[in-house]
Amino acid sequence: MLYAVICRDKPGHLQTRLDTRAAHLAYIEATGIVKMAGPFIADGQMCGSLIVLETEGLGAAGDAV
């Protein structure tokens, strides 16, 4: 089943996102359940993400993020 996860960054935390981006991308790739993902952009800066997961159930989707 597919699940869409909407993530919103905390205001003022762009640098934290940039600092942890490589580890974040490696983690979601390692899970093997991410079908597609991408950032939300506002005022030219990343401010959140949409992640589409494919799992057997909602519980597994929650464990992945």
Side-chain angles (χ1 to χ4, degrees):
M1 184 168 281
L2 296 175
Y3 293 93
V5 180
I6 296 173
C7 307
R8 296 185 185 130
D9 295 351
K10 291 180 183 178
H13 282 77
L14 178 60
Q15 190 58 52
T16 301
R17 181 185 179 112
L18 295 173
D19 292 345
T20 59
R21 185 170 166 78
H24 168 71
L25 293 175
Y27 173 76
I28 64 170
E29 184 176 338
T31 67
I33 65 171
V34 177
K35 296 298 282 181
M36 64 181 78
F40 291 128
I41 306 292
D43 299 323
Q45 297 183 336
M46 294 181 287
C47 61
S49 301
L50 172 64
I51 304 169
V52 178
L53 306 171
E54 185 170 25
T55 70
E56 293 182 18
L58 187 57
D63 292 341
V65 292

